[in-house]
CSV table of all heavy atoms in Angstrom, one decimal:
chain,number,residue,atom,x,y,z
N,195,HIS,N,25.9,17.5,11.7
N,195,HIS,CA,27.0,17.1,10.8
N,195,HIS,C,26.6,15.9,9.9
N,195,HIS,O,27.1,15.8,8.9
N,195,HIS,CB,28.2,16.7,11.7
N,195,HIS,CG,28.9,18.0,12.1
N,195,HIS,ND1,28.8,18.5,13.4
N,195,HIS,CD2,29.7,18.9,11.4
N,195,HIS,CE1,29.5,19.6,13.5
N,195,HIS,NE2,30.0,19.9,12.3
N,302,ARG,N,37.3,20.1,6.9
N,302,ARG,CA,37.0,19.7,8.3
N,302,ARG,C,37.9,18.5,8.6
N,302,ARG,O,37.5,17.3,8.5
N,302,ARG,CB,35.5,19.2,8.4
N,302,ARG,CG,34.5,20.3,8.2
N,302,ARG,CD,33.1,19.8,8.4
N,302,ARG,NE,32.1,20.8,8.7
N,302,ARG,CZ,31.3,21.3,7.7
N,302,ARG,NH1,31.4,20.9,6.5
N,302,ARG,NH2,30.4,22.3,8.1
N,338,ARG,N,40.8,23.5,8.7
N,338,ARG,CA,40.4,23.7,10.1
N,338,ARG,C,41.0,22.7,11.0
N,338,ARG,O,41.0,21.5,10.7
N,338,ARG,CB,38.9,23.7,10.2
N,338,ARG,CG,38.4,24.0,11.6
N,338,ARG,CD,36.9,24.1,11.6
N,338,ARG,NE,36.3,22.8,11.5
N,338,ARG,CZ,35.0,22.6,11.5
N,338,ARG,NH1,34.2,23.7,11.5
N,338,ARG,NH2,34.5,21.4,11.4
N,341,ASP,N,37.9,19.6,14.9
N,341,ASP,CA,36.8,20.0,15.7
N,341,ASP,C,36.1,18.8,16.2
N,341,ASP,O,35.0,18.4,15.8
N,341,ASP,CB,35.8,20.8,14.8
N,341,ASP,CG,34.6,21.3,15.6
N,341,ASP,OD1,34.4,21.0,16.8
N,341,ASP,OD2,33.8,22.0,15.0
N,363,ARG,N,34.9,20.8,23.3
N,363,ARG,CA,34.8,20.6,21.9
N,363,ARG,C,35.9,21.4,21.2
N,363,ARG,O,36.3,22.5,21.8
N,363,ARG,CB,33.4,21.0,21.5
N,363,ARG,CG,33.2,20.9,20.0
N,363,ARG,CD,31.8,21.5,19.6
N,363,ARG,NE,31.9,21.6,18.1
N,363,ARG,CZ,31.0,22.2,17.4
N,363,ARG,NH1,29.9,22.7,17.9
N,363,ARG,NH2,31.2,22.3,16.1
N,396,PRO,N,38.7,26.3,15.2
N,396,PRO,CA,37.3,26.3,15.5
N,396,PRO,C,36.9,26.7,16.9
N,396,PRO,O,37.7,26.4,17.8
N,396,PRO,CB,36.9,24.9,15.2
N,396,PRO,CG,38.1,24.1,15.5
N,396,PRO,CD,39.3,25.0,15.2
N,397,MET,N,35.8,27.3,17.1
N,397,MET,CA,35.2,27.6,18.5
N,397,MET,C,36.0,28.5,19.4
N,397,MET,O,35.8,28.5,20.6
N,397,MET,CB,35.1,26.2,19.2
N,397,MET,CG,33.9,25.4,18.7
N,397,MET,SD,32.3,25.8,19.5
N,397,MET,CE,32.5,25.2,21.1
N,434,MET,N,37.3,30.7,13.3
N,434,MET,CA,35.9,30.6,13.0
N,434,MET,C,35.2,31.6,13.9
N,434,MET,O,35.6,31.7,15.1
N,434,MET,CB,35.4,29.2,13.4
N,434,MET,CG,36.0,28.0,12.6
N,434,MET,SD,35.3,27.8,11.0
N,434,MET,CE,33.6,27.4,11.3
N,436,GLU,N,31.9,31.5,15.4
N,436,GLU,CA,30.8,30.6,15.5
N,436,GLU,C,30.2,30.6,16.9
N,436,GLU,O,29.2,29.9,17.2
N,436,GLU,CB,31.1,29.2,15.0
N,436,GLU,CG,32.3,28.6,15.6
N,436,GLU,CD,32.7,27.2,15.0
N,436,GLU,OE1,31.9,26.7,14.2
N,436,GLU,OE2,33.7,26.7,15.3
N,457,GLY,N,31.0,30.6,11.0
N,457,GLY,CA,30.4,29.3,11.0
N,457,GLY,C,28.9,29.5,11.4
N,457,GLY,O,28.6,29.4,12.6
N,459,ASN,N,26.4,27.6,11.2
N,459,ASN,CA,25.7,26.4,11.8
N,459,ASN,C,25.8,26.5,13.3
N,459,ASN,O,24.8,26.3,14.0
N,459,ASN,CB,26.3,25.1,11.3
N,459,ASN,CG,26.4,25.0,9.8
N,459,ASN,OD1,25.6,25.6,9.1
N,459,ASN,ND2,27.4,24.2,9.3
N,460,ASP,N,27.0,26.7,13.8
N,460,ASP,CA,27.1,26.8,15.3
N,460,ASP,C,26.7,28.2,15.8
N,460,ASP,O,26.1,28.3,16.8
N,460,ASP,CB,28.5,26.5,15.7
N,460,ASP,CG,28.8,25.1,15.7
N,460,ASP,OD1,28.0,24.3,16.3
N,460,ASP,OD2,29.8,24.6,15.2
N,461,LEU,N,26.9,29.2,15.0
N,461,LEU,CA,26.5,30.6,15.4
N,461,LEU,C,25.0,30.6,15.7
N,461,LEU,O,24.5,31.1,16.7
N,461,LEU,CB,26.9,31.6,14.4
N,461,LEU,CG,26.8,33.1,14.9
N,461,LEU,CD1,27.6,33.4,16.1
N,461,LEU,CD2,27.2,34.1,13.8
N,470,ARG,N,21.7,21.6,17.3
N,470,ARG,CA,21.6,21.3,15.9
N,470,ARG,C,21.4,19.8,15.5
N,470,ARG,O,21.0,19.5,14.4
N,470,ARG,CB,22.8,21.9,15.1
N,470,ARG,CG,24.1,21.4,15.5
N,470,ARG,CD,25.2,22.2,15.0
N,470,ARG,NE,25.7,21.8,13.7
N,470,ARG,CZ,26.9,22.2,13.2
N,470,ARG,NH1,27.7,23.0,13.9
N,470,ARG,NH2,27.3,21.7,12.1
M,602,MG,MG1,31.0,24.8,13.6
Side-chain angles (χ1 to χ4, degrees):
H195 283 102
R302 290 183 164 97
R338 182 175 73 185
D341 180 356
R363 177 187 167 187
M397 286 276 287
M434 296 281 295
E436 53 185 349
N459 306 335
D460 280 313
L461 190 60
R470 58 195 270 199

